């Protein structure tokens, strides 16, 4: 189980058996072993806390399959080992009950030395979790995948099976646009006793429904909640409940209200918002979700453009226009020219107030507007490799800071998939723990909003807070502007100033002007 519930693909419960690119000559132990006199192990595909998945050759019918080898530590008590083996048998039974193209097919369970080896179809492709490491999905593609997963869940629920671990790593994207829901390893089958260890639960924290966290009896609505989290992560680039550790993640599942999805339009946003209702009774039914996803995946065709026909003027005289008509046309031409100018020009740009100047900084690949006399601070390259610059007035009470996080350097995949997702991720952190660099207490008040930059989506947030100085806490206010470039780089322009007093109005004026005149080299 992932400690942080991230969108990544390191769960120790994985049964991913997606075919990977060919590797050099195998050296791992077990390659070439014949299981149950039939399945020849060819290469290891992946492993987790409960099993290792192999690509194997079924020598009886001459086809490649995926074989899941049980992997249970020898030091576990006999009872827990027995539970683990029974869980694998249930995984096979749960999947074998279902006849749906989006559920992985189970061919056989081979018992070797009392341990069950599950033999399944080999899905050639990648997991959704792997795909999301490279970027977000468009709304239509997310809805298409969501429809297939929903179909698999409907089939499971009709057969009395709850999946209980719907997440991107358990959704495989195969050839010919096939979508397959896998890993029924912790599924609950109606009428069978629970195998969950005493005092705990199984599943991936950020995808677990609130009622499961509270220990209540789950139902089909619990799986639908998890589908909602998957759709949110697929379109926004970040899970709405992911936090730095498991307890914080579970607390956010119970208490945090996710920001409305910014990259999911209309029906898809309605589906996601409905699925993430804390009360399972208020979540939409599978049929209602299907209708919303279908409306997103297959939107109505646009209305045809009207056909404009031209009529030739009578020969010899043309068309005579009166003075009023000419005046009207002249006004229309001027209005059209003005509109064209507004559309083409930078919608943020405006004349700089007196005493302001523009400063270009190569390290952040942008030009900032700052008041005269503001002094710059830049990173010490001996200790700080980040890209930022900060300007402050003589008193230090008002400052302007610009930070650039480059996609090419984001090895930890910290940059969210959209400006709004980045903003809401910061917003949740401000409310839950504050911010060390801003000396912000966790009692901050925020005002998120949608913004635009040169016609593209951006985001903004105004945060009011008291500093963490226990002896003399001071009110502060910051305005933060977020913009994600087409190349995936993330800009954050932050303006900070006193939250009360004579400097507040001036600080807000500085924020408005600096944000309006930000110029990114490569938007």
């Amino acid at each position: 189980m992932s400690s942080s519930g991230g969108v990544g693909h390191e769960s120790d419960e994985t049964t991913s058996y997606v075919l990977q690119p060919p590797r050099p000559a195998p050296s791992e132990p077990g390659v070439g072993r014949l299981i149950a006199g039939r399945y020849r192990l060819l290469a290891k595909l992946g492993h987790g806390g409960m099993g290792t998945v192999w690509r194997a050759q079924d020598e009886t019918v001459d086809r490649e399959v995926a074989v899941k080898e049980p992997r249970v530590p020898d030091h576990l008590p006999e009872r827990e080992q027995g539970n683990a083996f029974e869980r694998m048998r249930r995984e096979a039974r749960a999947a074998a009950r279902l006849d749906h193209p989006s559920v992985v097919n189970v061919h056989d369970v081979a018992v070797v030395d009392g341990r069950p080896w599950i033999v399944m179809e080999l899905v050639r492709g990648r997991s959704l979790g792997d795909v999301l490491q490279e970027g977000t999905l468009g709304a239509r593609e997310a809805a298409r995948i969501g429809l297939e997963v929903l179909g698999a869940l409907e089939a499971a629920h009709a057969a009395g099976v709850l999946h209980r671990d719907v997440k991107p790593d358990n959704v495989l994207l195969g050839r010919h646009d096939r979508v397959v829901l896998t890993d029924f390893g912790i599924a609950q089958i109606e009428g069978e006793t629970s195998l969950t260890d005493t005092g705990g639960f199984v599943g991936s924290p950020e995808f677990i429904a609130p009622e499961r966290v509270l220990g209540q009896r789950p139902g089909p609505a619990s799986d639908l909640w998890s589908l909602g989290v998957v759709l949110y992560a697929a379109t926004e680039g970040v899970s709405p409940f992911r936090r730095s550790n498991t307890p914080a993640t579970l607390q956010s599942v119970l208490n945090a209200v996710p920001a409305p999805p910014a990259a999911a339009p209309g029906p898809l946003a309605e589906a996601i918002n409905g699925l993430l209702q804390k009360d399972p009774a208020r979540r939409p039914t599978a049929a209602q979700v299907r209708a919303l996803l279908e409306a997103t995946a297959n939107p109505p065709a646009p209305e045809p453009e009207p056909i404009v026909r031209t009529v030739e003027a009578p020969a010899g005289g043309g068309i005579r226009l009166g003075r009023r008509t000419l005046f009207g046309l002249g006004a229309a031409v001027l209005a059209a020219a003005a509109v064209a100018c507004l559309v083409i020009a930078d919608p943020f740009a405006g004349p700089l107030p007196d005493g302001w100047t523009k400063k270009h900084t190569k390290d952040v690949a942008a030009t900032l507007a700052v008041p005269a006399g503001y002094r710059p601070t830049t990173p010490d390259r001996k200790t700080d490799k980040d890209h930022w610059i900060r300007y402050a007035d003589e008193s230090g009470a008002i400052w302007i800071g610009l930070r650039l996080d480059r996609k090419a350097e984001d090895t930890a995949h910290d940059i969210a998939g959209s400006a709004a997702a980045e903003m809401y991720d910061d917003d949740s952190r401000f409310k839950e723990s504050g911010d060390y660099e801003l000396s912000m207490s966790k009692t901050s008040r925020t005002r998120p909003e949608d913004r635009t930059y040169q016609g593209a989506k951006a985001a903004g947030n105004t945060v009011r807070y008291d500093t963490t100085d226990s002896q003399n806490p001071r009110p502060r206010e910051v305005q933060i502007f977020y913009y994600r470039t087409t190349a995936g780089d993330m800009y954050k322009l932050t303006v900070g100033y006193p939250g009360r007093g004579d400097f507040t109005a001036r600080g807000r004026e500085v924020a408005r002007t600096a944000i309006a005149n930000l110029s990114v080299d490569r938007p």
Side-chain angles (χ1 to χ4, degrees), residues 361 363-364 368 376-379 387-391 400-403:
T361 305
D363 188 48
V364 293
L368 267 177
T377 304
T378 55
H387 310 285
W388 58 268
I389 189 166
R390 177 168 169 160
Y391 291 87
I400 305 169
L402 180 63
R403 179 184 179 89

Side-chain angles (χ1 to χ4, degrees), residues 322-392:
R323 290 181 62 189
R324 291 186 179 179
T325 305
L326 286 171
F327 181 82
L329 283 174
V333 169
L334 289 174
V339 170
C341 179
L342 289 174
V343 171
I344 295 171
D346 183 350
F348 284 88
L352 283 178
D354 292 339
W356 282 66
T357 185
K358 291 189 176 182
K359 305 281 190 180
H360 181 269
T361 305
K362 184 178 180 180
D363 188 48
V364 293
T367 299
L368 267 177
V370 298
Y374 275 43
R375 296 182 177 180
T377 304
T378 55
D380 179 357
R381 285 301 174 216
K382 295 180 180 179
T383 58
D384 190 348
K385 303 300 183 183
D386 291 342
H387 310 285
W388 58 268
I389 189 166
R390 177 168 169 160
Y391 291 87

Side-chain angles (χ1 to χ4, degrees), residues 221-467:
S222 303
D223 281 345
L224 294 182
W225 161 281
S226 302
L227 174 59
V229 182
V230 169
L231 291 172
Y232 192 109
T235 54
E236 301 301 305
V238 64
S239 163
F241 306 111
R242 182 182 62 190
R243 300 295 184 267
S244 59
N245 54 64
T246 297
T249 296
L250 296 178
Q251 281 294 329
S252 69
V253 168
L254 291 175
N255 302 314
V257 178
L268 181 55
E270 185 179 346
I272 293 173
N273 291 333
L275 290 171
L276 297 186
Q277 291 288 327
K278 304 292 187 186
D279 183 355
R282 298 183 60 186
R283 292 172 205 153
T285 64
Q288 292 170 326
V289 174
R290 176 170 294 280
L292 293 170
L293 294 182
E294 286 178 344
T296 304
N298 305 295
E303 293 292 330
E305 292 290 335
I307 299 175
V308 179
R309 301 183 184 277
T310 59
V311 179
E312 293 186 3
I319 301 176
R320 295 177 62 85
L321 299 176
R323 290 181 62 189
R324 291 186 179 179
T325 305
L326 286 171
F327 181 82
L329 283 174
V333 169
L334 289 174
V339 170
C341 179
L342 289 174
V343 171
I344 295 171
D346 183 350
F348 284 88
L352 283 178
D354 292 339
W356 282 66
T357 185
K358 291 189 176 182
K359 305 281 190 180
H360 181 269
T361 305
K362 184 178 180 180
D363 188 48
V364 293
T367 299
L368 267 177
V370 298
Y374 275 43
R375 296 182 177 180
T377 304
T378 55
D380 179 357
R381 285 301 174 216
K382 295 180 180 179
T383 58
D384 190 348
K385 303 300 183 183
D386 291 342
H387 310 285
W388 58 268
I389 189 166
R390 177 168 169 160
Y391 291 87
D393 71 347
E394 292 286 348
S395 69
I398 302 175
W399 54 265
I400 305 169
L402 180 63
R403 179 184 179 89
L404 168 62
D405 293 320
R406 298 184 185 274
K407 178 69 172 178
E409 301 171 359
D410 184 30
T411 56
H413 305 288
D414 290 330
I415 298 176
S418 68
E422 185 84 9
M423 181 268 290
Y424 280 116
D425 200 28
D426 284 351
D427 185 78
S428 296
R429 178 167 52 84
F430 294 155
K431 292 177 179 177
E432 293 180 6
S433 58
D435 186 279
Y436 176 79
E437 293 183 359
L438 295 174
S439 298
M440 180 191 296
S441 65
K442 66 179 180 180
T443 58
S444 58
R445 285 83 69 194
T446 66
R447 191 177 73 239
E449 59 181 333
D450 294 330
R451 303 288 294 270
T452 60
Y453 178 79
Q454 296 185 359
K457 289 183 178 180
N461 200 355
T462 301
V463 185
R464 303 184 67 186
Y465 64 96
D466 293 326
T467 61

Side-chain angles (χ1 to χ4, degrees), residues 125-137:
R126 296 195 298 167
S127 75
L128 177 59
D130 288 333
V131 171
L132 294 183
Q133 294 296 316
E134 301 171 3
T136 58
L137 301 181

